[in-house]
Amino acid sequence: MSGPNTVPAQTPTTQPDLAAQADGRIDYSMRISRLTVDKLGVKLYDRASAVLAELIANAYDADAGHVTVAAPMSQYLASRAGGQLTDKGFTISVKDDGVGMTPQQVQDFFLVVGSERRTDERRGATSKERGRKVMGRKGVGKLAPFGICKTIEVLSAGGDPITRTSSSGQVEQGYLTSHILLHYDGIVAVGEEPDERYLPDRGDLDNSLTPERGTTITLRNFNYRRVPPLETLDRQIAQRFGIRSQDWEVLLKDNTAASPRPHVVGQFAIDVMPNTRMSFGSGQVLSPDGTPNEDLRPGFDHNGKFYDVTGWVAYSKEPYKDDLMAGVRIYCHGKIAAQTSIFNRGAGFTGEHNVRSYLVGELHANWLDEQEDLIQTDRRDILWSDDLATAFQDWGQRIVQVVGTLARDPMRKATLQMFLETGHVEERIEQTFPGDEQKEIRDHALEIARTFGRAMSRPEAQDATVVEDFLDLSITLAPHITLDDMMRRAADEADAPVGVLSTFLRTARLAELSSFGRIAKERLAVIERLEEIKDQPDAVENDLQTLIEEAPWLINPEWAPVTSNQWLATLRTEFGKYYESVTGEKLQLTEFNDPEKRPDFVLTSQQGRVQIVEIKKPKHALTNDEMERIVSYHDNMRAFLDDDGNAAFREHFSDFHITLVCDELALHGSHQHAHDGWLASNRMTRLTWSAFLGKTRQMHRDFREEADRQRQLLASPEDDGEGKEP
């Protein structure tokens, strides 16, 4: 092999006659500008999958039946450290069994960049042997490898088989072979003069005879690029080709494996949602139900000509997992031309969210490059500004609108089914309300659950926590709705028997227990959350006091929030005035939402008593000064309620009680005696954080379990041994 950048070549089947070889050799040359290589190779094809797709497309156009791609799967092709790039010695090869090229064809066609194949009488728009509509048109795909490497080796044998005699008198038969190497650095070093050409290196097998036709492209000296895993590369290659043929197969091999097994690239498969597929072809459009859609056409008219479109669009079963499956793939002559989710449609159309997340498809429009080439050179999109492309875009937007509407109901059904399966909804409802007597409640519960399921997004319907919450709510509401329906029917039936009342009461009891059980469950969640955050460094008494006022059941599960007690509001105001007049200090009791105002204590009313709740941070030790303030609150509240001028308050609040939440004590002397005396006389209750949270947690848990037990007993009445229903 001549030239400075030579590589070992395979030994030819028959040693050629050197004199004859010298006489018949082609002087390979290439005229190309540095800008062309840079723009059409390096800049457009910077991923291994894109480069391989171009080489595979060339093999398809060469009537290949089998193409084998051998590459170092899941490997970086070069290393980079300290700004230095180091090649790892890998190779990538693409070998096909197509018609191949003779040395003269390599010079006339391969080494000519930008030639228009389809208008070339020597080649034409269809392949010679298999009659395929060729994918290539621009003649620049051969530069694609320079996007990832510096050296391209071409070994190709083609033409008609020939017979010749070597200098030793040996008769040889086979296909004439071309063997050249292209070096990126050598090409870009060529000047820009019109007659200045790049001369490829000649390989050792050039002008030899080989027994089989075909072409092998080998890439070396790589940039810092990565070959994806075999499974990913399989999807990437399959996504780029819309070819369905029995005489076409692409194989992938990992050439770093000890015993590489060829992997056949399959079709780019996407699981689609039932009843969402719309098909185009044979002069009609088929709706998801299989009936012709009279409002749509499989193509469009433009300037007096009809442009047909074949293929299909549908909704995928799952949201887009990667960019490969996102949107509709548009192919031209079996090679991807663009990928679009909504044909550039603006926002605000029916079903937009689902279309943007689930619309998939495969459309074939072979006219995209037959007259004016409407495909971008890198085949990533269409030149939509062209009049013909704009007409195609308008047609596509109409399809998107129709699919968004027609697929809405199947989408909801699929989401509902996912919701039902995620939460085992029907089984849960059956377990909660068993037996014939509960059928009406079951029906209402399932109806409510289905309503929630239809309104959900698919991610929500797959989230077990979200589904559980809505299922619990459905079970809670069902007895109430059933009771309401039963009472309405009873009111309409004047002759309803008195025995119907027992059914009402049973349903009312179920409704009550369902509501209380759900409340207990939600309170348990709040208690667990409070246990998590109470020891955080930024927890302040103000926040804790606010929490107690909004949820006094944390102190005592029998306490309920006071929402509209005007007497309590007046008491807060008047006691504050009284306290200031006696002590000269202002009390802050109401502004719990103002971070700059610290409430002194929580003042609430439960069971006809005023409740003063003093709460300290976890692990805090109560001091004498703090106890002195509590004594002051106690004594002044006692005096305020005993005052004859406040007799009206005594009618509403018979007494008052102090609850102190504090983990530790640092008291001594009279303050310790006061503390102990109040506890002994039941004027004050002291709880540690663990005690009060543990107590309320257990009481709510016990209540929920008892509510569930009573609901089950009520749902399945049996004799309790004494001839009575439980």
Side-chain angles (χ1 to χ4, degrees):
M1 180 188 307
S2 63
N5 299 313
T6 61
V7 296
Q10 66 186 48
T11 302
T13 303
T14 304
Q15 284 290 341
D17 176 57
L18 296 179
Q21 184 184 52
D23 292 340
R25 284 182 175 177
I26 297 295
D27 290 329
Y28 298 115
S29 66
M30 186 179 194
R31 179 183 294 169
I32 186 171
S33 71
R34 178 186 311 173
L35 182 63
T36 301
V37 176
D38 188 52
K39 295 297 183 183
L40 299 183
V42 177
K43 292 294 190 297
L44 290 185
Y45 301 97
D46 58 352
R47 293 189 302 170
S49 61
V51 170
L52 294 174
E54 288 297 323
L55 298 180
I56 293 170
N58 290 344
Y60 179 83
D61 290 349
D63 276 327
H66 300 84
V67 182
T68 300
V69 177
M73 305 297 176
S74 302
Q75 298 283 343
Y76 278 96
L77 298 170
S79 61
R80 186 168 57 192
Q84 295 294 320
L85 190 68
T86 303
D87 183 71
K88 292 184 174 182
F90 289 129
T91 63
I92 293 178
S93 66
V94 179
K95 180 179 181 180
D96 70 63
D97 59 359
V99 296
M101 295 176 288
T102 64
Q104 189 63 55
Q105 289 171 329
V106 167
Q107 176 58 47
D108 292 345
F109 305 133
F110 185 83
L111 293 178
V112 177
V113 179
S115 62
E116 172 57 85
R117 167 170 180 168
R118 297 180 197 171
T119 59
D120 188 335
E121 294 181 354
R122 295 171 296 177
R123 293 181 290 172
T126 58
S127 63
K128 297 300 183 182
E129 295 187 357
R130 299 183 188 269
R132 295 171 175 171
K133 292 185 176 180
V134 298
M135 296 180 182
R137 171 173 177 171
K138 299 180 177 69
V140 298
K142 65 198 69 174
L143 299 178
F146 284 135
I148 66 171
C149 74
K150 298 290 187 180
T151 300
I152 304 173
E153 179 183 1
V154 181
L155 180 64
S156 187
D160 295 325
I162 63 174
T163 301
R164 70 185 182 188
T165 304
S166 68
S167 58
S168 62
Q170 183 178 1
V171 177
E172 301 173 331
Q173 290 184 331
Y175 296 92
L176 195 58
T177 300
S178 172
H179 189 191
I180 61 172
L181 291 94
L182 306 176
H183 301 285
Y184 175 82
D185 293 336
I187 292 175
V188 298
V190 174
E192 299 295 332
E193 296 298 325
D195 59 346
E196 198 163 0
R197 294 172 176 267
Y198 169 69
L199 305 179
D201 288 345
R202 192 185 304 274
D204 291 341
L205 297 181
D206 189 59
N207 208 47
S208 65
L209 298 182
T210 57
E212 296 179 349
R213 298 184 305 178
T215 300
T216 300
I217 306 292
T218 304
L219 313 182
R220 295 183 176 85
N221 302 326
F222 293 100
N223 300 324
Y224 186 68
R225 298 290 187 269
R226 182 176 184 269
V227 179
L230 189 145
E231 295 77 11
T232 302
L233 185 60
D234 171 55
R235 280 175 51 80
Q236 291 173 338
I237 297 299
Q239 185 257 10
R240 288 178 170 269
F241 296 97
I243 303 169
R244 307 288 182 269
S245 174
Q246 293 182 348
D247 60 358
W248 170 247
E249 183 179 69
V250 178
L251 303 174
L252 302 179
K253 291 198 306 184
D254 184 351
N255 59 13
T256 63
S259 301
R261 293 183 178 181
H263 171 84
V264 179
V265 174
Q267 294 185 8
F268 187 72
I270 299 177
D271 290 333
V272 301
M273 193 181 302
N275 302 316
T276 63
R277 184 181 179 113
M278 182 175 289
S279 303
F280 309 88
S282 302
Q284 62 181 350
V285 177
L286 297 181
S287 295
D289 60 2
T291 61
N293 188 311
E294 303 297 338
D295 298 327
L296 297 175
R297 302 172 66 197
F300 57 93
D301 293 307
H302 179 68
N303 290 340
K305 180 180 178 181
F306 182 74
Y307 291 85
D308 68 305
V309 181
T310 62
W312 58 272
V313 293
Y315 273 8
S316 62
K317 279 189 175 182
E318 303 290 339
Y320 298 151
K321 294 180 178 179
D322 52 39
D323 292 339
L324 294 177
M325 67 177 289
V328 178
R329 293 165 284 123
I330 302 173
Y331 294 92
C332 178
H333 298 291
K335 189 177 180 183
I336 197 164
Q339 193 166 353
T340 176
S341 61
I342 56 174
F343 281 87
N344 304 316
R345 184 179 177 85
F349 58 92
T350 301
E352 177 183 359
H353 172 74
N354 289 333
V355 167
R356 291 183 183 274
S357 302
Y358 295 92
L359 185 67
V360 294
E362 177 183 312
L363 298 178
H364 295 261
N366 291 336
W367 40 264
L368 278 170
D369 67 354
E370 287 183 348
Q371 296 178 358
E372 294 187 24
D373 195 344
L374 305 180
I375 306 171
Q376 292 183 3
T377 302
D378 58 1
R379 307 190 78 88
R380 294 181 183 178
D381 209 350
I382 291 171
L383 302 174
W384 295 109
S385 59
D386 183 270
D387 288 345
L388 177 57
T390 299
F392 183 30
Q393 176 179 273
D394 293 341
W395 176 87
Q397 290 181 359
R398 169 65 175 154
I399 298 301
V400 168
Q401 180 182 18
V402 172
V403 172
T405 301
L406 292 181
R408 182 169 48 188
D409 188 53
M411 186 77 174
R412 287 176 176 172
K413 289 180 179 178
T415 302
L416 171 60
Q417 186 61 35
M418 187 176 297
F419 167 78
L420 296 175
E421 293 174 357
T422 300
H424 305 287
V425 172
E426 295 183 1
E427 295 90 333
R428 272 283 312 278
I429 292 175
E430 180 73 32
Q431 293 170 2
T432 305
F433 305 113
D436 293 340
E437 292 185 359
Q438 315 276 355
K439 184 179 184 305
E440 188 171 356
I441 302 178
R442 282 200 307 275
D443 291 343
H444 277 122
L446 187 56
E447 181 181 351
I448 297 168
R450 286 178 175 273
T451 301
F452 287 139
R454 281 189 287 266
M456 283 184 173
S457 66
R458 288 174 68 85
E460 289 174 334
Q462 292 176 299
D463 189 324
T465 302
V466 173
V467 172
E468 178 73 15
D469 287 342
F470 280 102
L471 178 54
D472 283 349
L473 184 57
S474 302
I475 290 173
T476 300
L477 294 175
H480 294 274
I481 295 175
T482 304
L483 178 61
D484 183 65
D485 286 352
M486 292 172 64
M487 296 186 71
R488 188 179 295 110
R489 291 199 305 269
D492 294 338
E493 298 175 8
D495 58 347
V498 176
V500 171
L501 181 61
S502 64
T503 305
F504 288 164
L505 295 177
R506 182 184 299 279
T507 305
R509 177 69 171 157
L510 276 171
E512 183 180 58
L513 290 170
S514 295
S515 297
F516 288 166
R518 181 173 177 82
I519 291 172
K521 177 184 177 183
E522 292 173 347
R523 286 185 175 184
L524 281 169
V526 172
I527 295 168
E528 291 171 0
R529 178 58 179 151
L530 179 57
E531 288 180 316
E532 293 176 3
I533 66 174
K534 68 180 177 63
D535 294 324
Q536 293 179 356
D538 57 351
V540 295
E541 291 177 12
N542 184 18
D543 296 333
L544 299 173
Q545 288 173 323
T546 303
L547 185 63
I548 295 302
E549 182 173 67
E550 296 298 330
W553 49 264
L554 285 167
I555 299 295
N556 189 327
E558 297 179 0
W559 291 2
V562 179
T563 56
S564 59
N565 191 325
Q566 185 59 44
W567 278 102
L568 179 62
T570 305
L571 174 66
R572 285 175 173 169
T573 302
E574 295 303 319
F575 178 66
K577 294 178 181 178
Y578 177 85
Y579 190 86
E580 184 178 5
S581 68
V582 174
T583 65
E585 298 179 10
K586 287 187 176 182
L587 282 180
Q588 180 61 41
L589 302 176
T590 56
E591 298 296 332
F592 283 83
N593 295 324
D594 189 341
E596 297 182 357
K597 297 180 179 180
R598 179 188 178 278
D600 291 274
F601 56 84
V602 176
L603 185 64
T604 184
S605 171
Q606 303 296 336
Q607 301 168 332
R609 304 172 76 188
V610 175
Q611 298 286 349
I612 297 176
V613 182
E614 176 76 7
I615 188 166
K616 297 299 179 182
K617 291 176 61 174
K619 301 179 182 179
H620 177 77
L622 188 71
T623 66
N624 276 5
D625 289 341
E626 291 170 333
M627 186 64 200
E628 183 66 37
R629 288 186 62 82
I630 296 175
V631 170
S632 178
Y633 302 153
H634 171 275
D635 293 346
N636 281 284
M637 179 61 75
R638 178 78 279 160
F640 175 79
L641 291 177
D642 288 345
D643 192 305
D644 291 339
N646 295 324
F649 287 115
R650 290 198 297 273
E651 294 180 7
H652 293 274
F653 309 109
S654 59
D655 197 3
F656 73 96
H657 182 266
I658 295 175
T659 298
L660 172 64
V661 180
C662 186
D663 281 339
E664 301 175 14
L665 299 177
L667 302 176
H668 53 84
S670 61
H671 296 91
Q672 181 71 55
H673 290 304
H675 171 273
D676 296 344
W678 286 3
L679 292 182
S681 62
N682 200 31
R683 282 180 288 171
M684 182 174 75
T685 300
R686 177 177 162 240
L687 299 170
T688 64
W689 273 90
S690 60
F692 104 76
L693 285 178
K695 175 184 176 183
T696 192
R697 183 198 318 110
Q698 189 58 48
M699 290 187 67
H700 280 92
R701 183 176 289 119
D702 291 345
F703 180 86
R704 185 189 179 199
E705 292 174 356
E706 179 62 19
D708 289 343
R709 190 181 73 86
Q710 290 291 337
R711 189 172 61 186
Q712 290 295 327
L713 290 173
L714 199 62
S716 303
E718 296 178 356
D719 192 333
D720 64 359
E722 297 182 2
K724 299 177 182 179
E725 289 186 351

